[in-house]
Amino acid sequence: MATFLVKTEPGEYSFAQLVQQKRCMWSGVSNNTALLHLRTMRKGDDVLVYHTGDERAVVGLARVAGAPYEDPQRPGLNAKGEPKFAVVDMTAVKAAKTPVPLMRIKDDAKFKNFALVTQGRLSVMPVEEPLAAVLREWAGL
DNA sequence: GCCAACGTTGGC
DNA sequence: GCCAACGTTGGC
């Protein structure tokens, strides 16, 4: 079972909305690297949800509800003739007891090669297991 | 509001 | 195919 981290601007879609809806289609990912990561998601994988903007913290946990699929709102093919945009369904698990601020992650040497720190604009990324466990512990998830 | 770090676009 | 210009993301 893998763990991922996804970013969202809470003014557009927040973890609280996901909790309220219980399930959502995670869409709007356009960056190619992010899409590559999204396509590696599998049912049952964990997803740490991070709020950008004023919050800048890991705020909750979700779970991948099924295999990624083509974005029904944005049909279109890439150069290889594959669907260009992918989405994935996820369900809310629970909110972090203690949101984990970006500063705390940046300040810890363990995370110095973590994509959240090194690739500021990447919106979907895998979280390797030792680090995923640390984030879960810090967040109380 | 600024700007660094990318990604994308379009002229050549 | 290169690269300058432009757009976007997201931290500060």
Side-chain angles (χ1 to χ4, degrees), chain A residues 48-120:
Chain A
L48 294 162
V49 179
Y50 173 89
H51 278 176
T52 60
D54 291 340
E55 294 188 38
R56 298 192 301 282
V58 175
V59 295
L61 182 67
R63 188 151 289 134
V64 175
Y69 54 98
E70 181 178 8
D71 187 342
Q73 311 300 145
R74 292 195 291 174
L77 303 179
N78 66 17
K80 293 180 198 163
E82 300 158 344
K84 187 166 167 54
F85 298 108
V87 299
V88 73
D89 288 347
M90 55 181 77
T91 54
V93 178
K94 61 178 171 176
K97 287 196 195 75
T98 314
V100 181
L102 176 63
M103 276 312 294
R104 179 159 188 201
I105 296 169
K106 282 189 143 181
D107 283 348
D108 193 300
K110 287 192 290 296
F111 288 96
K112 77 177 188 336
N113 294 319
F114 184 39
L116 188 68
V117 175
T118 61
Q119 290 165 255

Side-chain angles (χ1 to χ4, degrees), chain A residues 29-39 78 84-85 122:
Chain A
V29 178
S30 298
N31 174 280
N32 220 269
T33 308
L35 284 166
L36 280 171
H37 293 316
L38 187 146
R39 287 182 208 277
N78 66 17
K84 187 166 167 54
F85 298 108
L122 187 61

Side-chain angles (χ1 to χ4, degrees), chain A residues 3-7 34 37 41 114-117 119 122-127:
Chain A
T3 301
F4 293 84
L5 182 145
V6 299
K7 291 182 180 176
H37 293 316
M41 290 182 178
F114 184 39
L116 188 68
V117 175
Q119 290 165 255
L122 187 61
S123 60
V124 180
M125 67 201 76
V127 188

